[in-house]
Amino acid sequence: DTGVSQDPRHKITKRGQNVTFRCDPISEHNRLYWYRQTLGQGPEFLTYFQNEAQLEKSRLLSDRFSAERPKGSFSTLEIQRTEQGDSAMYLCASSFGLLQETQYFGPGTRLLVL
Amino acid sequence: QKEVEQNSGPLSVPEGAIASLNCTYSDRGSQSFFWYRQYSGKSPELIMFIYSNGDKEDGRFTAQLNKASQYVSLLIRDSQPSDSATYLCAVAAGGTSYGKLTFGQGTILTVHP
C-alpha cells in the first residue's frame, strides 16, 4: 500500500492554458474525491467517483473543469482555459467501504496560474 | 452561517499543556466527523474519526462529539512542538451526498517550548 499519489506535484501555467492532473488512489479503494484548497481555507469539495461513476459535482466546478475515472482506478482532473482564480492546491482523496469511510489524502498538486 | 465553523486561532499553548480545539456544524444529518492535521505546504493527514456521541481516545488525542449541540472537539494532551500545525475539522454528509467532506477553515495551533 503506497498511499494516494498525485502527479504533478507542482504546475505553473499561463492564463488561458489547459492543465491536467492525475490521481492514483489506494489500490482497493473504490471511492475517489477531488478537493481544492486555497491559502487559509479548508479544502472544498469538487467532485467524487464511486468506481467509474461520477456521483456528485460541486457548484464550484464550472464548465471549464472536467474529471474522469475511466476504469475505476486512476482519475484525471482537467481545467480548460485556466484563470488566475484557479490557483490553488488540488487534493485527491480515496476511501473504501459503504459506511463511515475514512478518506486518505494524496500530497496534492499545487497550481499557479500566471 | 458556515456549514462547519472553527476558531481560526492562532491557538498558542506551552509544551506539555492540553490544547483544546473546537468545531460546530450546521447539518443535523451529518454522520461522521474527522480531525485532520495539516502542516504548512502539506496535505491533510487523518488524526481521528468519531461517529457516536461521547469521547474517543487515541494516544494523546481525544475526540468528543455531542450531536445534540452539533459540536465536535479535539483535545491534545502533553502538547509537543511537533503538534504545531493547522487542525481541520471535517464533517461527512448523509443522504445522497454520503461521504462528501465539508471542512472548517482550520485552527492554527502553535506549541511553544
Side-chain angles (χ1 to χ4, degrees):
Chain A
D1 180 0
T2 57
V4 179
S5 61
Q6 293 186 246
D7 183 70
R9 296 289 302 277
H10 303 273
K11 180 71 176 179
I12 300 174
T13 191
K14 293 182 179 179
R15 188 178 54 182
Q17 298 295 304
N18 299 343
V19 294
T20 300
F21 308 143
R22 175 176 170 132
C23 171
D24 286 87
I26 294 171
S27 58
E28 67 270 24
H29 285 187
N30 60 354
R31 284 197 172 198
L32 186 149
Y33 300 80
W34 285 100
Y35 294 86
R36 179 173 66 188
Q37 186 177 25
T38 54
L39 197 62
Q41 301 298 315
E44 295 176 296
F45 170 80
L46 294 179
T47 187
Y48 88 93
F49 295 83
Q50 180 160 311
N51 300 314
E52 65 276 8
Q54 188 174 19
L55 297 186
E56 186 171 344
K57 291 173 59 174
S58 167
R59 287 168 293 183
L60 294 174
L61 217 61
S62 76
D63 291 344
R64 298 184 297 105
F65 288 72
S66 63
E68 293 183 341
R69 194 182 183 197
K71 296 182 180 180
S73 56
F74 73 91
S75 176
T76 58
L77 177 68
E78 180 182 18
I79 310 174
Q80 296 182 327
R81 305 181 303 281
T82 53
E83 302 173 355
Q84 287 184 327
D86 296 331
S87 296
M89 172 85 90
Y90 289 82
L91 294 162
C92 176
S94 71
S95 69
F96 175 76
L98 297 177
L99 296 175
Q100 300 173 337
E101 69 248 45
T102 301
Q103 294 180 30
Y104 297 91
F105 282 83
T109 294
R110 187 172 295 280
L111 172 66
L112 178 61
V113 182
L114 302 176
Chain B
Q1 180 188 7
K2 292 182 180 178
E3 294 183 55
V4 179
E5 294 204 47
Q6 296 181 253
N7 186 329
S8 61
L11 173 65
S12 181
V13 300
E15 184 174 356
I18 296 175
S20 177
L21 305 163
N22 304 314
C23 172
T24 58
Y25 60 95
S26 60
D27 181 4
R28 285 193 172 275
S30 300
Q31 299 289 325
S32 313
F33 307 86
F34 303 85
W35 284 99
Y36 286 86
R37 176 174 62 198
Q38 188 171 31
Y39 292 113
S40 181
K42 303 295 186 182
S43 64
E45 171 192 8
L46 180 71
I47 298 176
M48 289 192 70
F49 56 86
I50 186 166
Y51 308 132
S52 304
N53 278 328
D55 295 359
K56 178 181 180 182
E57 186 174 321
D58 184 0
R60 296 187 295 113
F61 300 95
T62 299
Q64 300 173 316
L65 173 61
N66 184 326
K67 289 187 177 180
S69 301
Q70 296 174 248
Y71 177 88
V72 192
S73 67
L74 180 70
L75 300 177
I76 306 175
R77 290 181 300 280
D78 188 23
S79 296
Q80 301 297 310
S82 59
D83 294 326
S84 298
T86 297
Y87 288 80
L88 296 163
C89 172
V91 177
T96 57
S97 293
Y98 191 86
K100 179 183 84 173
L101 292 179
T102 301
F103 285 83
Q105 69 181 75
T107 298
I108 298 171
L109 172 67
T110 301
V111 181
H112 53 88

